[in-house]
Amino acid sequence: MLKAILSCALAAGIAIAAAALPSAAAADELETVKAAGEFKFANSGAYPPFSFVDDTNQVVGFDVDIGNEITKRLGVKGVAVSTAWDGIIAGLLAGKYDAIIGSMTITAEREKAVDFVGPYYRSGRGIFVATDSAVKSLDDLKDKTIGVTLGETHEKWARERGGWEIRTYKGLPELFLELKSGRVDAIVVDSIPVMVAMKDNGEKARKLETGEIDGGAVNIGIAIRKGNPDLKAAMQKALDEMMADGTYETISMKWIGADIR
């Protein structure tokens, strides 16, 4: 019953936010953005190496660099905005920012509410356990405790599959802490940031051999409000040019160590 209530509340929140859009949104927003001279794009700020807070208290990462490069090619200043992931689409529809450049999986459900530019990279779902865990397969996780990021597609997948207790967190750093402490038996996340954290920060985890699970290979896109074909085309052109001239690869190698397009 609680799950049904939460799902209805989220759907209602998105619908209310969409209804609250100003009438000016009926016109394409590309010229509005150019007139304002800046373009706000959202991320969670808790998803290294894609978006996270550095030692100088600045939000940095792959998504931030991609966003800044796209906005530069649009001729405006990019402004990264960090917000809670579970309300990020509602914030876009309410006009709090102009796009979501925050590693959002393109899904049919989300395409009902927003348009997508891209995909700008590809990722996949992974299930990770502690290195000394006795868990060897998905079946071994029956009735165990699973950690997920609140609002991600991995949370939805975990709830639909069922058979385990689910705990939600703000982002990957918390998930690693819970896994190391033993408060969760496994975490369900995108594979790329976990692999980077293991390589760069010495995080310890073991990926289960799960075969072709749902979400094992997904497209990641940039979300914008519907009804903006000029803005969408301009952003796609900027992204395509970045991929063609080597800028994208430079950003990808900087943060990931591989070209992930």
Side-chain angles (χ1 to χ4, degrees):
M1 182 179 292
L2 178 58
K3 176 184 172 184
I5 291 171
L6 290 173
S7 297
C8 290
L10 177 60
I14 291 177
I16 290 170
L21 279 173
S23 58
D28 197 285
E29 294 172 3
L30 178 60
E31 291 306 317
T32 304
V33 165
K34 288 187 174 182
E38 70 174 24
F39 186 98
K40 295 180 181 179
F41 57 90
N43 55 65
S44 71
Y47 194 49
F50 294 93
S51 66
F52 62 99
V53 179
D54 69 5
D55 295 337
T56 65
N57 206 35
Q58 299 295 311
V59 179
V60 298
F62 175 86
D63 284 337
V64 178
D65 281 4
I66 291 293
N68 285 331
E69 183 63 29
I70 288 176
T71 56
K72 183 176 76 173
R73 293 178 187 231
L74 293 180
V76 297
K77 177 184 178 182
V79 179
V81 178
S82 292
T83 188
W85 187 257
D86 57 321
I88 201 165
I89 289 181
L92 174 66
L93 298 180
K96 294 181 179 179
Y97 27 82
D98 303 299
I100 300 170
I101 306 181
S103 295
M104 177 169 282
T105 302
I106 299 172
T107 67
E109 182 178 356
R110 285 171 173 161
E111 286 180 315
K112 295 176 184 177
V114 300
D115 282 340
F116 282 100
V117 176
Y120 70 106
Y121 78 90
R122 290 170 175 80
S123 186
R125 176 173 295 126
I127 302 177
F128 293 82
V129 298
T131 54
D132 59 352
S133 173
V135 172
K136 303 296 183 183
S137 68
L138 278 176
D139 290 340
D140 294 336
L141 287 173
K142 183 179 180 181
D143 298 324
K144 302 290 187 180
T145 303
I146 306 297
V148 296
T149 299
L150 181 65
E152 284 191 343
T153 55
H154 309 305
E155 179 194 1
K156 179 181 178 182
W157 174 84
R159 293 192 184 282
E160 289 177 347
R161 189 181 191 282
W164 42 41
E165 178 186 347
I166 296 173
R167 295 182 182 175
T168 59
Y169 300 91
K170 292 181 179 179
L172 188 58
E174 285 187 334
L175 288 170
F176 267 126
L177 287 174
E178 295 294 276
L179 186 64
K180 286 188 288 188
S181 70
R183 285 188 286 270
V184 299
D185 298 291
I187 58 176
V188 183
V189 288
D190 283 339
S191 295
I192 291 175
V194 174
M195 303 302 284
V196 171
M198 292 169 63
K199 176 176 68 73
D200 293 346
N201 304 328
E203 297 287 0
K204 303 295 183 182
R206 172 168 54 84
K207 186 178 181 182
L208 293 185
E209 295 296 332
T210 54
E212 293 300 319
I213 62 172
D214 179 39
V218 294
N219 291 326
I220 309 299
I222 298 169
I224 62 172
R225 287 181 286 274
K226 284 184 173 295
N228 292 289
D230 294 343
L231 177 62
K232 180 176 180 178
M235 292 180 68
Q236 187 66 56
K237 181 175 182 289
L239 179 61
D240 291 343
E241 290 175 348
M242 288 167 55
M243 290 184 172
D245 66 20
T247 305
Y248 178 95
E249 183 177 359
T250 298
I251 294 172
S252 189
M253 292 300 296
K254 172 185 174 182
W255 293 107
I256 314 300
D259 190 335
I260 58 172
R261 75 184 78 184

